[in-house]
Amino acid sequence: MPKLSQWKFGIDFERIGWLTIDTPSAPVNVLSTTAILELEKLVARFEDLAASDELVGVVLLSSKGSGFIAGADITEFDDLSDPVEMTKALRRAHALFDRIERLPIPFVSGIHGFCLGGGLELALATHYRIAVNNDKTRIGFPEVKLGIFPGFGGTGRSMNVMGPVPAMQIMLTGKYLRAGAARGMGLVDKLVRHRDQLRWEARKAILQKRKSKPAGFTKRVMAMGPLRKFIADKMRATVKKKVRPEHYPAPFSLIELFEDKGNDPVAMRAGEIERFPKLMDSGTAANLRRLFFLSEGLKKQGVRKPPKPKFARVHVIGAGVMGGDIAAWCAYRGLAVTLQDLDMERIQPALDRAKKLFKKRLKKPIAVNAAMARLEADVAGKGAARADVIIEAVVENLEIKQKIFAQVESVAKPGAVLATNTSSIELERIAEDLKDPSRLVGLHFFNPVAQLPLVEVVRSKVNSDLAIRTGCSFASFIGKSPVVVKSAPGFLVNRVLMPYLLKSIERVEAGEAQELLDAAAVAFGMPMGPIELMDVVGLDVGHSVANELGQPVAEDSKFARLLAQGNLGRKTGRGFYRWTKGRAEKGSVPEHSNLAELGRELVQPLVDECEVCVKEGIVSSADMADIGVILGTGFAPFLGGPLKARQDGKA
Ligand code: T1G
């Protein structure tokens, strides 16, 4: 047997080969160059042993608790930017996976946890796939989130078993499937209830020589003849609603490949090798890769050394939009939540909103009811005494917040996190009368809580490292991305967003068409234009944030007039735009020679303010400013964030 560092292999008395992957000193398995080279040697041995009838089948498993394989090793991508080297590496992987597929003995994959990217492509090259049917199993192709698409043969093989349309959908969206959905769509052939059943089920599959079935004709027909062009055009139109080809070329390149070769899985796979290197070498791929690692880094800001904090119970004070949605999110993530306000009349709307979220996200009534059972109305505030985390999200009034924390501090468990969701009042002032002001941190969520991943963990001058780390641990624990910011007006996101929004509104006040400015910002790479965003945020919110930043809205302005008339934006049906069914009614966009350039001009105040924030230590680095602003505002991820874009001369 070859010398192995990434794999273990042994043959049992029934001549079944048991192959396990275990990437050394890594929390997840990845297909590194070394792993591929060692697998090549192993497959050569399998071919010999099969020929001499010493091997009747191979089972591939992972020995890591976290999951199967998380894909190719992204840390190697920067060294593979040379297209010639990349093409060689791809050819090698394709040849290897083809040999696995052609092995004359059954090769079965046993999947638990994550099975992603190149890991899924390897599983697709084997003959039969068994997965554990629990909540941890996630199967998919996240490549498009890295500015590329599957490059180890996954395009053709996934189309073969799923049919072209479902396969293209999961490759274009990067969506992870749960086990049941993967089984229903043909990516997986068999489900088991527990990980320890994988071996037994795989042994049966080997002995019965089970093979995966290709997708039926009714699915495959979608890739034939004129239908394929029709489908490709529909896919292009759908993707265009979300991203532009000049910003994110990968999905459009994949659709082109499908249009060109979608009726021939082998040609589809070969087409990957032609297209992949150019995508890998793009600025978009490099920037998205950097953002992946920055996001991973955010997970490490929590408490690293034992005793690690435990979060079972959360008490939220304030059942308004933010408080209610924070409480709902925590219950959705499995915590026991008590939601306090002055009376049930104030709490009930939050419970109703929570039920809508649970129905949308959890779907099954049993799961929805369980989540509702975790979210308890608590007018008396009894939950505060047993909570691990207490979050205040009441009106932006200093005296009320001080009163709440004085009361909370007297009942809270030692070590419980005391947090405020304030977006404007400095922590030092809220905490000034506490016995231990160092306990109070800011956990600034963004509206809508269920959609926006960022939580600004606000650090005051008196916070302890432990309090901040515990706040970050909690944010990560509920599936959010924590960015630590200094307690100063507007923290990071509102601080950089406001000058951009206000300057754009000034240009509208001076006579420029709001539709033009909004279209320009989107052409640059913003998810939404500044005027539309102000309507969505709400003119009342914008006005109060502008005041706290010392950039008050001019009295004799259209903004002030709209405010005075109660036209607050989307929530009242009228702001700078009229709104119908949640959509802005926009006029036509006036002609402009270079919309993207105008958009770049519009975001200058935002980028300038990011530079000031780094200088003032609002965030610890330009990287944190980039990831924070992207997660908080959706700023052009393909440009790597405001400061990376400026460094590259793009903003
Ligand atoms: N390569 C290298 N490192 C990886 C990795 C990968 N694919 N996936 C995860 N890691 C590291 C990560 O940086 C972190 O490291 C640790 O593992 C995970 O800890 C040819 C070309 C799998 C859902 O895009 O989405 O295959 O910081 O706390 O929260 O077509 O990591 O601890 O040192 O994040 O449970 C496609 C990316 C690659 C998957 C686990 N695959 N990974 O999240 O754990 S491209 C991906 C994730 C590809 C082929 C193409 C997540 C996770 P460290 P963690 P987690």
Side-chain angles (χ1 to χ4, degrees), residues 27-28 30 70-75 77 114 116-118 121 142-143 146 148-152 176 276 292-293 296 299-300:
V28 299
V30 292
D73 185 346
I74 307 175
T75 61
F77 289 6
F114 297 111
L116 307 173
E121 293 177 283
E143 287 88 339
L146 294 170
I148 49 181
F149 59 69
F152 283 175
Y176 293 173
F276 194 91
F292 167 73
F293 287 114
E296 291 296 309
K299 296 177 188 174
K300 290 184 201 44

Side-chain angles (χ1 to χ4, degrees), residues 561-573:
R561 282 192 297 281
L562 284 167
L563 210 53
Q565 293 152 4
N567 294 321
L568 307 181
R570 181 171 67 178
K571 59 189 167 189
T572 59

Side-chain angles (χ1 to χ4, degrees), residues 580-623:
T580 326
K581 294 198 185 83
R583 295 180 68 80
E585 291 173 15
K586 291 187 177 179
S588 59
V589 177
E591 275 302 306
H592 192 278
S593 59
N594 187 340
L595 272 180
E597 181 48 33
L598 173 57
R600 199 188 63 76
E601 212 183 291
L602 290 176
V603 302
Q604 291 309 301
L606 183 151
V607 186
D608 294 343
E609 201 61 26
C610 279
E611 288 182 336
V612 174
C613 284
V614 173
K615 280 198 195 91
E616 288 181 3
I618 301 296
V619 280
S620 58
S621 67
D623 281 352

